[in-house]
Amino acid sequence: MDHQRSSLQNTGNAFAEFQILGTIFDIAVLPGKIRVGLRSNYLRRDRAGDIVEAPAENHVAVVHHSARRYVQKYAAPGQLVIARGRLSGELIADQFILLGANGPSEG
């Protein structure tokens, strides 16, 4: 089993996926990508078993050309979105969905 795990790590076949439901707080146009800041507030149980808020901020990179156009045209701070993608040194959003937006719902 250890041999299989090290083979995956050595060949780069191991990957991680993410999904973030959050509100846009920042959009930055950079060369070859758009970086979108997302703020989320999840509920979790603390050590005492009480439910508490767990706020988080993440930045996702939108690199696909059509998705970048979509984000530039329709996305704005304050909008609720779902970003799904993969971790490759940074969070790369392969799917970016605006919830309740004026325009197409997915880019």
Side-chain angles (χ1 to χ4, degrees), residues 17-22 24 34 36 38 59-68 70-71 75 80-87 91-99 104-107:
E17 295 178 322
F18 71 88
Q19 175 175 304
I20 300 172
L21 171 65
I24 298 173
I34 295 178
V36 181
L38 300 176
H59 286 88
V60 300
V62 179
V63 296
H64 191 271
H65 181 68
S66 63
R68 288 195 329 250
Y70 169 78
V71 169
L80 184 63
V81 302
I82 295 175
R84 293 183 182 119
R86 57 197 157 80
L87 178 62
L91 298 174
I92 306 292
D94 296 321
Q95 188 176 31
F96 198 88
I97 304 167
L98 295 174
L99 303 174
S105 63
E106 187 173 333

Side-chain angles (χ1 to χ4, degrees), residues 4-67:
Q4 288 177 333
R5 186 179 315 122
S6 67
S7 295
L8 287 174
Q9 290 172 349
N10 292 337
T11 61
N13 292 333
F15 65 92
E17 295 178 322
F18 71 88
Q19 175 175 304
I20 300 172
L21 171 65
T23 304
I24 298 173
F25 71 87
D26 181 47
I27 300 173
V29 179
L30 303 170
K33 66 182 172 184
I34 295 178
R35 190 185 70 212
V36 181
L38 300 176
R39 187 171 289 128
S40 302
N41 195 16
Y42 299 99
L43 299 178
R44 65 172 182 82
R45 290 198 183 271
D46 65 10
R47 291 180 188 229
D50 297 324
I51 296 176
V52 296
E53 293 183 356
E57 289 185 355
N58 291 287
H59 286 88
V60 300
V62 179
V63 296
H64 191 271
H65 181 68
S66 63

